[in-house]
Amino acid sequence: MKRIITIALAIALAVSASAQLPTQPSAQWRHSPDKGSLIIIGGGKVGDEIWDEFIERAGGREKAKIVVVTNASADVVEYYSPAIEKAISYVGKNRVTRLHLKDINEANNDKLIKALKEATGVYFTGGRQWRIAEVYLNTKAHQLFNEVLARGGVIAGSSAGASIQGSFLWRGDTSGADILVGDHTQGLGFLKNSAIDQHILVRNRQHDLADFIKAAPAFIGIGLDESTAIVVEGPSFKVIGKSYVAVHSADQEKFIFLRAGDKYDLENHCRIK
């Protein structure tokens, strides 16, 4: 019970903080962005099927303009992610930009974030999700991420790049990923009223979101295994990849397991048959 109360308090603080976001999506849907799409990946090897989906939704090989945000992967600004090479292999070097800013001041600097103004797709690499929050949360860059969606673009991310897409930042503590509710509790909120976990079967995490949903029934909890993604568009998502997705909601006694090809209704919290 003490753990549930602690989670509930942290949720209340995070929801209060979310009112300060520079760009607030409308309430057309409880969870999904009004326009554009999200690809939320559970970590591990990101297969070609997932990359194909991302590039296609970003405008295709001939038109996509991709920004890869690498902050989660390392503290050093010089860090160069393999995801950049993968994006380049699809669309060419001239249409891929690496974004690895130092602090909030840089994330509010129009010159440093200008690539986001024309981006059709943004990809967040894995690592530690609090590093993304510390630099980009409630900044001009954050607003521009939302504008990518508003233009009909796509935001994707793997592992930490998955969790940062939720409104509540799960495993966001600077001291380690084993702390479920830590010193960073606000995500970028592309998937509204949600908490997102990753590596769930490989690391035996499939039950970890249960208490969160008991404490915050307005939220949805989504856990993804490695090499697996959900593609959110409109009020539903589909599963692609090699393994499973666990969906926790207050409407269910137990979580629902989904696999590739399955679809889920985010508004009614149920599998689409």
Side-chain angles (χ1 to χ4, degrees), residues 78-98:
E78 294 80 11
Y79 181 83
Y80 193 82
S81 169
I84 297 171
E85 293 300 328
K86 191 69 176 180
I88 289 173
S89 73
Y90 276 90
V91 303
K93 188 174 182 178
N94 292 337
R95 286 190 279 123
V96 177
T97 301
R98 182 178 74 99

Side-chain angles (χ1 to χ4, degrees), residues 252-268:
Q252 306 156 190
E253 289 187 12
K254 298 180 179 180
F255 62 79
I256 294 177
F257 256 145
L258 304 171
R259 59 183 178 180
D262 288 343
K263 296 182 179 180
Y264 189 85
D265 185 332
L266 282 164
E267 292 305 291
N268 296 304

Side-chain angles (χ1 to χ4, degrees), residues 31-33 37-43 46 50 53-54 123-124 154-167 189-192 194-198 220 222-233 237-240 244-245 266:
H31 302 296
S32 308
S37 54
L38 308 174
I39 301 180
I40 303 172
I41 311 161
V46 181
I50 297 173
E53 185 87 29
F54 172 60
Y123 188 97
F124 290 89
V154 57
I155 291 178
S158 181
S159 191
S163 291
I164 196 64
Q165 296 187 55
S167 56
F190 307 134
L191 191 69
K192 298 173 283 187
S194 74
I196 300 170
D197 206 357
Q198 4 84 3
I220 191 167
I222 298 177
L224 305 103
D225 199 29
E226 293 185 357
S227 303
T228 308
I230 62 171
V231 181
V232 180
E233 183 176 33
F237 69 72
K238 67 178 181 179
V239 180
I240 59 176
Y244 289 87
V245 173
L266 282 164

Side-chain angles (χ1 to χ4, degrees), residues 21-98:
L21 286 174
T23 297
Q24 279 293 333
S26 75
Q28 180 177 352
W29 295 305
R30 277 190 293 173
H31 302 296
S32 308
D34 288 351
K35 295 181 180 179
S37 54
L38 308 174
I39 301 180
I40 303 172
I41 311 161
K45 179 177 174 54
V46 181
D48 288 344
E49 178 186 7
I50 297 173
W51 272 101
D52 289 348
E53 185 87 29
F54 172 60
I55 297 299
E56 182 64 27
R57 288 176 175 273
R61 292 174 182 262
E62 302 301 320
K63 296 181 179 180
K65 295 181 179 180
I66 307 301
V67 173
V68 180
V69 182
T70 60
N71 283 78
S73 301
D75 288 325
V76 293
V77 174
E78 294 80 11
Y79 181 83
Y80 193 82
S81 169
I84 297 171
E85 293 300 328
K86 191 69 176 180
I88 289 173
S89 73
Y90 276 90
V91 303
K93 188 174 182 178
N94 292 337
R95 286 190 279 123
V96 177
T97 301
R98 182 178 74 99

Side-chain angles (χ1 to χ4, degrees), residues 116-187:
L116 289 171
K117 296 179 180 180
E118 295 184 353
T120 60
V122 176
Y123 188 97
F124 290 89
T125 63
R128 294 305 315 280
Q129 45 267 40
W130 61 265
R131 290 178 179 147
I132 304 172
E134 280 201 340
V135 174
Y136 298 101
L137 185 63
N138 297 334
T139 64
K140 288 184 178 180
H142 190 177
Q143 183 173 349
L144 291 177
F145 295 145
N146 280 317
E147 289 180 9
V148 171
L149 294 173
R151 294 194 296 270
V154 57
I155 291 178
S158 181
S159 191
S163 291
I164 196 64
Q165 296 187 55
S167 56
F168 187 90
L169 191 58
W170 196 243
R171 302 185 192 276
D173 198 87
T174 53
S175 61
D178 290 336
I179 299 174
L180 305 182
V181 177
D183 50 19
H184 292 69
T185 56
Q186 189 182 352

Side-chain angles (χ1 to χ4, degrees), residues 200-201 204-210 213 221-223 244-258 264 271:
I200 60 166
L201 296 181
N204 195 28
R205 295 174 169 180
Q206 60 269 30
H207 300 283
D208 286 358
L209 282 163
I213 297 305
I222 298 177
Y244 289 87
V245 173
V247 183
H248 301 253
S249 81
D251 302 326
Q252 306 156 190
E253 289 187 12
K254 298 180 179 180
F255 62 79
I256 294 177
F257 256 145
L258 304 171
Y264 189 85
R271 188 194 307 265

